[in-house]
Amino acid sequence: GQQLNQSPQSMFIQEGEDVSMNCTSSSIFNTWLWYKQDPGEGPVLLIALYKAGELTSNGRLTAQFGITRKDSFLNISASIPSDVGIYFCAGQLRGNTPLVFGKGTRLSVIA
Amino acid sequence: DAGVTQSPTHLIKTRGQHVTLRCSPISGHKSVSWYQQVLGQGPQFIFQYYEKEERGRGNFPDRFSARQFPNYSSELNVNALLLGDSALYLCASNPPGANVLTFGAGSRLTVL
């Protein structure tokens, strides 16, 4: 089946630092999504990307849909303690196909 | 407005038993999807239902089944439970024409 390679697996950063994580695939996706999951909760949508090259921001978060349509990245600027959690990328091959998720990047923020 | 609601939140079963998990989508959402999330992994697609019909099925054995009711709520059933079925089971819904999933908090199943 389809697989998304998400990196890094985990990262420890100081409060106020910027964070970057990415997701790659061997397949071309039409949609890329980024979710965050807190302990004991379901994933919550952060950003949705629909066009190759698209750059979208949501507050301190910025994500881009790669030109090749096989990758995406998520940046978090000026991290704060509540950014702690697991970040998942998800891709959709085409309309009405199920989302394929990466294994997640676990972010820890040291105050 | 209520989000996606799932029940029960936690449950413990023993091998060989059967389990039923329930999900109510966001009002107005007619599509429901089920995902399995094993500890340390991303969610894996199990089923998608739209207007009470199965629209997609992931790579899961026939022990897994689901259905959707006229009010768009859904049930996931797992028979003959195995230890490896221990996971967080997530339900998600999406509105017509949009592929962005909204997830519930999940049902955490432990099989002993």
Side-chain angles (χ1 to χ4, degrees):
Chain A
Q2 306 298 330
Q3 286 192 347
L4 297 184
N5 301 306
Q6 197 170 344
S7 65
Q9 279 187 305
S10 63
M11 50 197 318
F12 291 80
I13 62 169
Q14 294 278 350
E15 184 177 355
E17 288 185 346
D18 296 345
V19 173
S20 184
M21 60 190 78
N22 66 72
C23 198
T24 61
S25 170
S26 58
S27 300
I28 291 174
F29 285 95
N30 279 350
T31 301
W32 284 94
L33 305 170
W34 285 91
Y35 285 85
K36 180 183 180 230
Q37 187 173 28
D38 292 328
E41 301 291 329
V44 174
L45 180 70
L46 299 174
I47 293 179
L49 302 160
Y50 299 104
K51 293 170 59 175
E54 179 181 357
L55 186 71
T56 298
S57 293
N58 177 9
R60 295 178 296 105
L61 277 61
T62 301
Q64 184 159 29
F65 192 140
I67 290 292
T68 65
R69 294 165 63 193
K70 292 183 177 181
D71 62 341
S72 178
F73 72 76
L74 175 71
N75 285 344
I76 305 173
S77 63
S79 58
I80 60 178
S82 62
D83 291 333
V84 166
I86 303 177
Y87 292 78
F88 290 99
C89 61
Q92 186 181 42
L93 288 172
R94 54 189 177 279
N96 293 323
T97 57
L99 294 184
V100 178
F101 282 81
K103 292 186 176 181
T105 293
R106 181 180 294 273
L107 178 64
S108 300
V109 178
I110 304 168
Chain B
D1 283 341
V4 177
T5 57
Q6 293 187 244
S7 64
T9 54
H10 296 83
L11 69 167
I12 300 174
K13 294 284 189 178
T14 57
R15 282 178 294 176
Q17 284 189 313
H18 161 270
V19 68
T20 298
L21 307 176
R22 296 177 175 83
C23 171
S24 293
I26 291 173
S27 177
H29 289 193
K30 299 180 180 181
S31 178
V32 169
S33 299
W34 287 95
Y35 283 76
Q36 181 197 64
Q37 186 177 22
V38 174
L39 195 63
Q41 302 291 319
Q44 294 285 322
F45 172 72
I46 312 175
F47 286 109
Q48 183 189 24
Y49 276 78
Y50 177 74
E51 293 274 18
K52 296 180 290 180
E53 291 191 1
E54 181 182 305
R55 287 296 182 92
R57 184 188 181 110
N59 188 24
F60 280 82
D62 291 343
R63 300 184 296 107
F64 288 75
S65 64
R67 55 179 175 167
Q68 187 177 31
F69 300 99
N71 66 353
Y72 305 114
S73 67
S74 178
E75 281 182 357
L76 175 70
N77 295 285
V78 187
N79 292 324
L81 286 167
L82 303 174
L83 296 179
D85 294 331
S86 296
L88 181 67
Y89 288 86
L90 295 163
C91 176
S93 70
N94 58 284
N99 56 7
V100 174
L101 298 181
T102 300
F103 285 88
S107 294
R108 182 162 295 284
L109 171 66
T110 300
V111 182
L112 301 177

